[in-house]
Amino acid sequence: MARFAMVIDTVKCVGCMDCVVACKTENKVPEGFNRDWITTDAKGKFPTVQMEIRSERCNHCDNPPCVYCCPTKASHVHDLGGVVLVHHHMCIGCKACLASCPYDARFIHPDGYADKCTFCIHRVEKGLDPACVAVCPTHCMYFGDLDDVESQVSKLLLERKNHALIPEAGTRPEIYYLI
Amino acid sequence: MIELTTTRHNELIDPIVHVWGWEIPIYLFIGGWVAGMMILSGYFFMKGRGKEYHCVCYRIPLLALGLITLGMLALFLDLEHKFYVWRLYTTFAVKSPMSWGAWLLLLLYPTLFIIFLLQVPDWISTRWPILHSWSQKLRSVKAITKIVGMVNIVMGIILGTYTGILLSALGARPLWNSAILCILFLVSGLSTAAAMVHMIAKERAERELLARADNLFLFMELLVLALFFIGLLSSTNVQIQSAMLLLNGPYAAVFWVFVVLLGIVVPLFIQNLAVNHKIIHTPVSPIMVIIGGLILRFIIVSAGQFSHYANAHFIR
């Protein structure tokens, strides 16, 4: 079994939004919607100000509330790597999954179904990296299998300090930010 | 595709989650209202007092049937992928309250139809005599009336609590993270149902009994509201902030004036005077109770979506 995860180095990220554009192009994300986005998080008071730039998306949680609340099982965990996906033809558009996500990562596609990041599963199945990772000009994004202790993502998480987003929501997110 | 903006501005999500508009609060309100009606009429049938308490047994089940249909229509209107609604009935998702609700709504129709059959109103039985004969067959065995009453009480309790669990199961919204939300909606459903009966009942004894019951339910609602806030306020920061949305934040004026004051306290006061024969009974207070119940659902759904783990922008 694999457990796919993404590790993003916030020290290297400059917030260029190439990942956002790559995702929109690769996945034909409709105009006005985003599956990934950049968050600029500034903390502190001048002169001790800290800024973290993060490329954010669905966290493909290990304990995914969006999958549990789905009344039709359209939201599901994919066999490969624990990726959270939506069967478009099974979604009724009730929006419970949108409300249940602490990251607000989902949206309603203009065609009526719930849509979100897929970790570019169509690319990953061919052995490629997700589009956002592949295009990153600063190489700050890493994609891999956490179940494999030899993978780059596992090693980075051992070597570097990191944090996930809103762990207190109990969803066990699988995107980690190196600090 | 030409798009210059790359920051997120997803419809229904940004700047604040607002995935559910008027349809879901209306549905939750009607669900609670019908649940209260089922419990009340079920109770009087179970006690074998259908004749004495004419309105609650005679008119309410039919009204509940009509209302739940309206509620389901509102629920359907909320769906974004309407032609796929049948997918609800191709599976049963144990962890999804919405899936439970979809199947529960199917079971509600036969339950409500049988309690309606126990006492078919004249204007219907003269038009469809077959209903009258079915009704007589059902009533010929006394145990059936009792069992149907009990089943309605149980189904009413499940429906009333489910409307709250639907929200509290969505863990990302701190305001809804309270197991007592389902009790709040159940008690509010009972008070609005009792208000409906004592508003339309013609018999004085029935009107007074239901007004007394309504007073009890309103008092319980105040207690449950207090427990709801005690639970949130003694929890973590996000839960405290979400409670503050209602207590002194952007929703405070509507909450205190329309839900607490005009929806519970003032009608409780008026009805208390009315049942003690100090003033005459008018439809004013039951209408206030019903509108208060409706606004409670709107405010909980709206403020719940406003409450958030990360963007605690409502923190003062």
Side-chain angles (χ1 to χ4, degrees):
Chain A
M1 280 297 286
R3 173 66 252 195
F4 290 146
M6 216 178 256
V7 174
I8 300 169
D9 191 341
T10 60
V11 181
K12 282 202 233 165
C13 178
V14 293
C16 69
M17 302 196 183
D18 258 13
C19 48
V20 178
V21 177
C23 173
K24 293 208 66 145
T25 316
E26 173 70 28
N27 297 301
K28 299 182 180 64
V29 180
E31 209 165 328
F33 293 96
N34 288 90
R35 285 186 183 184
D36 60 351
W37 59 95
I38 298 289
T39 298
T40 311
D41 197 351
K43 279 181 190 144
K45 239 180 188 175
F46 183 80
T48 50
V49 189
Q50 253 190 341
M51 189 166 73
E52 186 175 284
I53 303 170
R54 294 190 300 261
S55 170
E56 295 185 0
R57 60 194 47 63
C58 165
N59 281 266
H60 296 274
C61 304
D62 241 358
N63 187 28
C66 53
V67 172
Y68 303 149
C69 72
C70 179
T72 63
K73 298 184 181 165
S75 266
H76 64 284
V77 179
H78 191 54
D79 294 335
L80 181 63
V83 178
V84 177
L85 298 176
V86 184
H87 288 306
H88 299 164
H89 59 283
M90 284 169 75
C91 175
I92 59 171
C94 71
K95 294 172 281 189
C97 56
L98 275 72
S100 77
C101 176
Y103 311 101
D104 298 341
R106 289 176 169 235
F107 59 89
I108 292 292
H109 189 281
D111 290 346
Y113 52 81
D115 201 8
K116 64 184 271 299
C117 159
T118 61
F119 262 174
C120 282
I121 194 75
H122 58 287
R123 288 173 58 92
V124 173
E125 280 171 344
K126 289 183 201 154
L128 298 167
D129 268 341
C132 52
V133 176
V135 299
C136 181
T138 63
H139 302 289
C140 76
M141 302 170 74
Y142 306 89
F143 179 80
D145 179 9
L146 280 187
D147 281 353
D148 173 9
V149 285
E150 294 299 318
S151 69
Q152 197 178 14
V153 283
S154 299
K155 283 181 179 163
L156 279 168
L157 291 183
L158 277 176
E159 288 163 8
R160 298 268 304 270
K161 274 191 181 174
N162 61 79
H163 71 96
L165 296 180
I166 324 178
E168 65 272 26
T171 57
R172 298 207 294 273
E174 290 296 349
I175 295 190
Y176 300 87
Y177 295 91
L178 302 177
I179 46 175
Chain B
M1 186 173 68
I2 300 167
E3 195 178 17
L4 295 175
T5 323
T6 42
T7 44
R8 193 184 73 184
H9 51 99
N10 292 344
E11 195 189 340
L12 301 178
I13 298 294
D14 295 307
I16 289 161
V17 174
H18 51 289
V19 295
W20 290 327
W22 60 271
E23 297 94 341
I24 295 296
I26 290 275
Y27 163 68
L28 295 180
F29 168 68
I30 290 180
W33 209 11
V34 168
M37 289 175 180
M38 290 175 80
I39 294 169
L40 291 177
S41 58
Y43 174 78
F44 286 105
F45 272 117
M46 193 183 76
K47 289 280 173 191
R49 294 163 84 177
K51 285 266 159 4
E52 286 165 75
Y53 294 97
H54 194 265
C55 171
V56 70
C57 298
Y58 209 77
R59 293 161 71 185
I60 288 296
L62 182 63
L63 183 67
L65 266 173
L67 281 173
I68 199 70
T69 309
L70 278 180
M72 282 180 77
L73 180 70
L75 194 58
F76 175 71
L77 287 177
D78 177 68
L79 298 182
E80 302 283 346
H81 224 191
K82 292 189 176 58
F83 293 123
Y84 291 79
V85 65
W86 53 274
R87 282 284 185 186
L88 281 172
Y89 298 107
T90 58
T91 185
F92 174 59
V94 184
K95 287 184 179 176
S96 164
M98 218 177 254
S99 184
W100 282 84
W103 289 103
L104 176 69
L105 286 172
L106 271 198
L107 292 177
L108 277 185
Y109 276 95
T111 317
L112 275 168
F113 189 68
I114 289 183
I115 203 166
F116 156 75
L117 270 186
L118 287 177
Q119 262 183 20
V120 184
D122 292 337
W123 63 276
I124 293 178
S125 59
T126 48
R127 216 167 282 177
W128 291 286
I130 186 140
L131 292 181
H132 185 65
S133 62
W134 287 352
S135 174
Q136 277 183 330
K137 270 180 205 156
L138 274 178
R139 271 188 297 177
S140 61
V141 188
K142 220 168 182 185
I144 291 183
T145 309
K146 206 166 185 173
I147 291 168
V148 170
M150 275 158 63
V151 170
N152 266 269
I153 293 177
V154 172
M155 291 292 279
I157 292 173
I158 296 175
L159 174 66
T161 46
Y162 140 76
T163 59
I165 294 172
L166 184 77
L167 296 183
S168 53
L170 302 171
R173 309 289 141 201
L175 183 70
W176 297 338
N177 291 167
S178 168
I180 213 154
L181 194 63
C182 60
I183 309 293
L184 176 66
F185 281 7
L186 178 67
V187 177
S188 167
L190 276 167
S191 75
T192 46
M196 188 68 195
V197 180
H198 75 80
M199 183 169 76
I200 62 172
K202 291 196 176 78
E203 297 290 323
R204 187 173 166 171
E206 182 176 10
R207 203 166 57 210
E208 284 194 359
L209 181 77
L210 268 299
R212 278 178 202 278
D214 196 14
N215 286 352
L216 175 70
F217 297 140
L218 287 172
F219 182 66
M220 281 164 64
E221 200 178 334
L222 276 181
L223 286 182
V224 175
L225 260 180
L227 288 176
F228 174 64
F229 285 116
I230 289 170
L232 289 175
L233 290 173
S234 52
S235 192
T236 64
N237 186 40
V238 281
Q239 270 87 16
I240 295 169
Q241 295 307 327
S242 68
M244 284 303 173
L245 281 177
L246 297 183
L247 294 175
N248 69 353
Y251 293 89
V254 178
F255 174 71
W256 287 110
V257 174
F258 291 103
V259 176
V260 178
L261 197 67
L262 295 180
I264 301 177
V265 176
V266 173
L268 187 59
F269 184 70
I270 296 176
Q271 281 167 197
N272 207 32
L273 289 177
V275 295
N276 290 314
H277 307 127
K278 300 271 198 318
I279 56 171
I280 56 159
H281 183 275
T282 64
V284 173
S285 67
I287 287 175
M288 287 164 85
V289 171
I290 291 168
I291 294 176
L294 178 64
I295 295 176
L296 173 74
R297 300 321 192 283
F298 266 95
I299 204 169
I300 293 282
V301 170
S302 184
Q305 296 181 87
F306 200 105
S307 67
H308 200 291
Y309 267 89
N311 314 337
H313 33 58
F314 47 86
I315 295 175
R316 281 162 170 261

